[in-house]
Amino acid sequence: MKLANTKQLILSTALDLFSQYGYNGASIRQIARTVGIRESAIYNHYKSKEEIFLAILAEFKSKTISEKILNDDLLDDLSNPEKFLRNFAERLITFWNTPQERKFIRLLLMEQFTRIGNKELSTTDYLSELRKMCRLIFSEMIKTKIVKQYDPEILAEQFIAPLFLMRTEYLVSGENKNMGTVIKIVNMHVDFFWSAIKG
Amino acid sequence: MKLANTKQLILSTALDLFSQYGYNGASIRQIARTVGIRESAIYNHYKSKEEIFLAILAEFKSKTISEKILNDDLLDDLSNPEKFLRNFAERLITFWNTPQERKFIRLLLMEQFTRIGNKELSTTDYLSELRKMCRLIFSEMIKTKIVKQYDPEILAEQFIAPLFLMRTEYLVSGENKNMGTVIKIVNMHVDFFWSAIKG
DNA sequence: GTATATTATGAACGAGTGTTCATTAAGGGT
DNA sequence: ACCCTTAATGAACACTCGTTCATAATATAC
């Protein structure tokens, strides 16, 4: 009867509602109603509410951030580090502004402390790959002397933290209403950062 | 019968449970049981669960951060800006590590997007006073030429963001188990920051 | 076209939710 | 001592929660 994949539809609907109302605030019945089926039909696809939640996490855990924001034409710009950092930051913010990613970050912030989320959800885990990427980039820049000899870990932190804080703060407002101004602030951040570290 | 102020006890218990399980995850009965009374007795002090939640927010909104971490002997150090920034950051982190403040930040992160919290809770609001304070400090430092001519707003952001991200990440682990290492990282952050901005 | 596996339904379950209410106990003021 | 306000109780309310189950409709395979 259903043309779309019901199982996947349940998953994306659950992410949608969990990220709006929280895990406890969104009910199985609400998810089912939004999908367009009865609550009992859900259990043909997932054996519990918790399994739906864990399936969402598994889906996002399998995705890697590198391939999303790092590609060859960006890496070519490494010779022009200021431009590179600008592009890198803009891509990162744009990626974080993806509907899916917005929802997941909201879920992360909401549920990382609760019984259901504190085992599988942590900001540290979420940022670990990005941190590693940044450490590598800054290590390389230090090695080629285009950046002062700072600790790459500190540089990564200093680069990421303002961007992530910005992301979490703008997360509250409905849609990407002012992506233009956000990118402007991002650029100011990168400009300061670059002028502070350039060798 | 009760020696302690029941109304205040309900409030602090509610903050405790809300910050652990979320607003929806903690029930009136659970709060009452923890306080040591029946759930119906709660309604002699607050007329609804939502009113308890709003009372918590009101209590924290009335507190000002300046008086907690800024005092005269700290401001005297403004002549030695590096030492000042170190002390300032350490006090800030220590303040954020207060049990009360830990709980409130958790509540903030958890509920800022939900129906109940999104009107009254926002990270931007929570940080606004601190941001203002930092802008003033850095403006002063720029005026007296001990800091390069950067935008004070950017400086405030760059100074606060890594500290706040650190705070939210360490928030998940139970107690102040490794406050020593945290302060060490804070100092590294401040050292980098200072070397980046000093005039 | 019939058998089979998949997916939907509607009703029901036990438990928990926030809240109300009549009643009882306790504390303070005169 | 008394009254009166405050605070606690236990039972009940209507409702929602996650989940189960027998049953019916729908696709898929042969």
Side-chain angles (χ1 to χ4, degrees):
Chain A
M1 190 193 197
K2 265 267 123 56
L3 10 80
N5 185 349
T6 306
K7 186 160 186 167
Q8 187 57 40
L9 192 56
I10 292 171
L11 215 62
S12 68
T13 304
L15 172 59
D16 214 74
L17 297 176
F18 286 162
S19 72
Q20 269 186 70
Y21 307 107
Y23 177 79
N24 282 312
S27 69
I28 289 281
R29 280 175 177 80
Q30 193 181 2
I31 295 169
R33 201 183 322 124
T34 310
V35 169
I37 56 180
R38 305 288 149 243
E39 63 267 22
S40 48
I42 297 250
Y43 291 88
N44 286 320
H45 303 278
Y46 298 95
K47 72 177 210 287
S48 68
K49 187 184 184 184
E50 183 159 350
E51 198 182 82
I52 300 177
F53 181 78
L54 295 176
I56 293 175
L57 301 200
E59 199 186 30
F60 274 85
K61 210 171 275 185
S62 69
K63 295 197 306 181
T64 164
I65 191 181
S66 326
E67 59 199 27
K68 299 263 179 180
I69 62 173
L70 265 191
N71 52 19
D72 298 341
D73 64 305
L74 180 66
L75 284 172
D76 282 348
D77 280 347
L78 254 173
S79 56
N80 183 349
E82 187 175 7
K83 188 175 160 204
F84 169 83
L85 287 180
R86 270 182 174 252
N87 282 338
F88 185 64
E90 184 170 336
R91 285 193 201 203
L92 181 58
I93 280 285
T94 305
F95 168 69
W96 277 343
N97 206 45
T98 303
Q100 288 286 309
E101 212 63 21
R102 284 173 66 97
K103 289 174 200 166
F104 185 74
I105 297 175
R106 283 170 73 133
L107 194 64
L108 170 70
L109 294 175
M110 289 168 95
E111 301 297 337
Q112 68 188 143
F113 307 122
T114 67
R115 191 211 112 243
I116 182 96
N118 92 81
K119 279 175 255 172
E120 313 269 350
L121 271 177
S122 96
T123 305
T124 307
D125 282 354
Y126 181 73
L127 293 177
S128 70
E129 195 191 349
L130 178 63
R131 282 193 166 112
K132 194 164 125 195
M133 207 192 307
C134 286
R135 281 198 302 271
L136 283 174
I137 291 169
F138 292 129
S139 292
E140 198 55 40
M141 288 184 173
I142 292 171
K143 210 181 291 174
T144 58
K145 303 265 169 100
I146 56 182
V147 158
K148 293 200 195 103
Q149 289 229 359
Y150 287 119
D151 182 349
E153 190 141 356
I154 300 275
L155 292 183
E157 212 53 37
Q158 210 78 16
F159 183 74
I160 293 172
L163 297 176
F164 189 69
L165 178 56
M166 226 162 95
R167 169 69 301 201
T168 66
E169 285 194 57
Y170 283 95
L171 220 43
V172 76
S173 53
E175 284 309 306
N176 23 334
K177 64 173 182 187
N178 39 14
M179 196 58 187
T181 39
V182 172
I183 290 191
K184 213 172 288 176
I185 304 178
V186 168
N187 281 335
M188 290 174 65
H189 160 59
V190 174
D191 286 351
F192 166 81
F193 183 74
W194 171 246
S195 86
I197 68 166
K198 70 180 169 201
Chain B
M1 188 193 201
K2 264 265 121 59
L3 10 80
N5 186 351
T6 306
K7 186 160 187 169
Q8 186 58 37
L9 192 55
I10 292 171
L11 215 63
S12 67
T13 304
L15 172 60
D16 214 75
L17 297 175
F18 286 162
S19 72
Q20 268 185 72
Y21 307 107
Y23 178 79
N24 281 312
S27 70
I28 289 280
R29 279 175 178 79
Q30 193 181 2
I31 295 169
R33 203 182 321 123
T34 309
V35 169
I37 56 178
R38 307 288 151 248
E39 63 269 19
S40 50
I42 297 252
Y43 291 88
N44 285 321
H45 303 278
Y46 299 95
K47 74 177 208 285
S48 69
K49 188 184 184 184
E50 184 159 350
E51 198 181 83
I52 299 178
F53 181 79
L54 295 176
I56 292 175
L57 301 200
E59 198 185 29
F60 275 84
K61 210 172 276 184
S62 69
K63 294 198 306 179
T64 165
I65 191 179
S66 326
E67 59 198 27
K68 298 263 180 180
I69 62 173
L70 266 191
N71 51 21
D72 298 340
D73 63 307
L74 181 65
L75 283 172
D76 282 347
D77 280 347
L78 254 173
S79 55
N80 182 349
E82 187 175 7
K83 186 175 162 204
F84 169 83
L85 287 179
R86 271 182 173 251
N87 282 339
F88 185 63
E90 184 170 336
R91 284 192 202 204
L92 181 58
I93 282 285
T94 305
F95 168 68
W96 277 343
N97 206 44
T98 302
Q100 288 286 309
E101 212 62 22
R102 285 174 65 99
K103 290 176 199 165
F104 185 75
I105 297 176
R106 283 171 73 134
L107 193 65
L108 169 70
L109 293 174
M110 289 168 94
E111 301 296 338
Q112 68 188 141
F113 307 123
T114 67
R115 191 211 112 245
I116 183 97
N118 92 81
K119 279 175 256 170
E120 313 270 350
L121 271 177
S122 98
T123 305
T124 306
D125 282 354
Y126 181 72
L127 293 177
S128 70
E129 194 192 349
L130 178 62
R131 281 193 168 113
K132 194 163 126 198
M133 207 192 304
C134 285
R135 282 198 304 271
L136 283 174
I137 291 169
F138 292 129
S139 293
E140 197 54 40
M141 288 183 173
I142 292 170
K143 209 181 293 174
T144 58
K145 302 267 169 99
I146 55 181
V147 159
K148 293 201 196 101
Q149 289 229 356
Y150 288 118
D151 182 349
E153 190 141 358
I154 301 275
L155 292 184
E157 213 53 36
Q158 210 77 17
F159 182 75
I160 294 172
L163 297 178
F164 189 69
L165 178 56
M166 226 162 93
R167 169 69 302 200
T168 66
E169 286 194 57
Y170 283 94
L171 220 44
V172 75
S173 52
E175 284 309 308
N176 24 332
K177 63 173 184 185
N178 39 15
M179 197 57 187
T181 40
V182 172
I183 289 191
K184 213 172 286 177
I185 303 176
V186 168
N187 281 335
M188 289 174 65
H189 160 60
V190 174
D191 286 352
F192 166 82
F193 183 74
W194 171 247
S195 85
I197 68 167
K198 69 179 170 204

